[in-house]
Each structure stands twice: as structure tokens, then as C-alpha cells.
Amino acid sequence: MFPITAERPADAAQIETLLDLTFGSDRAKKTVYRLREGVAHLRPLAFVVREQDIRASGGRLLGSIRYWPVGLGEAQSPAIMLGPVAVHPDYQGQGIGRALIRHSLYAATRLGHRICILVGDKPYYEPFGFTSAADRGLEMPGWVERERFQVMELLPGALDGVAGMVGKPLRSASPRGRRRAA
Ligand SMILES: CC(C)(COP(=O)(O)OP(=O)(O)OC[C@H]1O[C@@H](n2cnc3c(N)ncnc32)[C@H](O)[C@@H]1OP(=O)(O)O)[C@@H](O)C(=O)NCCC(=O)NCCS
């Protein structure tokens, strides 16, 4: 059992190291990074897993998940983009990734987020309820393999009438009390 805790500002350096280790140091070339540039990740949806016995290890970071706000289509309908999610190679396959995803999607739903997109391996994300985003009329800037681009409604019907290109968010990232962009 690996406890999940909220990411702290002090975790940032260890998270960068973990992401370099799991995705490679050229990860910033990926299309999703264009959508993250200049946009802060959603703090209430950022979680980590640490080694349990901090006396033995100094509390090594074992896993991390973050989300970014995005806008969908011409109306830039608010949505969240899952990722990156990463688990230290020594600890992969022990359920940490799934636990981080379930925990954060539950938090996102409770906070009132309505739509979640991601670019990732279909077989891994399908069991959570993600389906083809292209089939729902969504598009991703740059070149992304169609089957890796996925979407899930956190609120049933949230995708009704929503289609088009994913972009940076125009409105407040907060799901409640949103104001229209000027
Ligand atoms: C992908 C990742 C986050 C999964 O975390 P994890 O803690 O290792 O995964 P879990 O223990 O929760 O789940 C393991 C299961 O997922 C499967 N799985 C892991 N990565 C997968 C992938 N990319 N595609 C399909 N299935 C995958 C495993 O085969 C295993 O299946 P099983 O339960 O049937 O044996 C982790 O392996 C990782 O950090 N990988 C490198 C970074 C990365 O690719 N992240 C994004 C994935 S798109």
C-alpha cells in the first residue's frame, strides 16, 4: 500500500528527475508540452507517492501525477489534460500508477471538472473509461497518433456539443465560478 499525498512545491525538483528518468530528457519535444508551456499545472490535482519509510530512504519520490487546464474547440470549453503520470522504474507494476490515476480522477470529479483528455497508451487508460477523442470530434495540435488521443466525461453529457482543436485555456482553470475571458 502506497499512500498518496498532495504534491508540495518542494517536490518539484524530484518530479523533474523522475520525469527525465521515465520519459527521457527530450520529453519537452512532445506535443502536449506545447499546451503546457506558460500554463501552471492544477495544484489541487497534483499528487505524489513517496517511499513509506522516510528514515531509511529520505522519502524518495516513487510516483507523480499532474494535470493541466486546456480548452476544447472554438468555445474553448474547459477541460483537464491528464499527465504526466510517472512511476519510478524500480516500483512499476505494483499499482502505483493506477492508484494515482484513480485518486486524481476522483478528486477532479469532486472539484467539478467535467472533461478529461490525455495522450497515452490506449490499453493502459481504457479501463479507467477513456475512449477515442478523435471519435468524439476532438483534434490535437501537432502530430499525435490518433489512438493515443483519448477523452473521458467526468460528468455524463459534458462532451455534448463539444468538438474541435485542443488549445490552451481561455477561462479560469477553476471549475467553479468560471468567468468568461474578455
Ligand atoms: C505507465 C506507468 C505510469 C504505469 O504505472 P505503474 O505503477 O507501473 O502501473 P500499475 O502498476 O498501476 O499497472 C500495471 C499494469 O499496467 C500495465 N501497463 C503499464 N504500462 C503500460 C502501458 N504503457 N501500456 C499498457 N499497459 C501498461 C502493466 O502491464 C500492468 O498490467 P497488469 O496489471 O495486467 O500486469 C509507469 O509504468 C511509468 O511511469 N511508465 C513510464 C512513463 C510513461 O510511459 N507514462 C505514461 C504512460 S502513457
Side-chain angles (χ1 to χ4, degrees):
M1 189 65 189
F2 297 94
I4 295 172
T5 55
E7 179 191 316
R8 302 165 306 178
D11 294 328
Q14 275 194 73
I15 290 172
E16 288 306 304
T17 304
L18 178 67
L19 295 179
D20 283 347
L21 189 65
T22 49
F23 287 97
S25 49
D26 63 346
R27 60 193 157 86
K29 291 181 187 154
K30 289 173 190 270
T31 299
V32 286
Y33 275 83
R34 302 288 83 74
L35 293 167
R36 293 175 187 148
E37 268 168 10
V39 182
H41 69 277
L42 295 164
R43 287 270 170 203
L45 298 182
F47 297 99
V48 296
V49 166
R50 302 190 153 277
E51 251 170 353
Q52 275 182 289
D53 188 352
I54 58 167
R55 288 162 302 175
S57 62
R60 185 163 56 137
L61 194 86
L62 306 183
S64 158
I65 192 164
R66 284 174 168 174
Y67 289 74
W68 260 260
V70 291
L72 305 181
E74 255 181 55
Q76 292 290 278
S77 304
I80 55 174
M81 183 168 67
L82 187 160
V85 52
V87 174
H88 191 285
D90 292 349
Y91 287 82
Q92 287 177 7
Q94 297 183 47
I96 295 176
R98 281 190 189 133
L100 280 167
I101 292 168
R102 285 209 189 93
H103 184 89
S104 55
L105 285 175
Y106 180 70
T109 306
R110 289 205 52 160
L111 285 169
H113 293 285
R114 296 154 53 94
I115 302 169
C116 182
I117 63 161
L118 63 83
V119 177
D121 294 331
K122 185 172 177 241
Y124 189 65
Y125 292 102
E126 218 167 27
F128 298 100
F130 286 91
T131 58
S132 164
D135 286 356
R136 298 299 302 249
L138 294 171
E139 298 167 55
M140 196 70 170
W143 191 83
V144 169
E145 291 166 77
R146 184 184 160 93
E147 65 272 18
R148 289 176 58 77
F149 179 32
Q150 294 163 70
V151 67
M152 181 163 70
E153 289 179 336
L154 303 178
L155 181 75
L159 274 169
D160 293 353
V162 177
M165 189 64 77
V166 180
K168 291 187 180 180
L170 285 182
R171 303 176 201 170
S172 160
S174 165
R176 302 202 199 284
R178 281 190 198 102
R179 280 172 300 190
R180 286 199 162 273

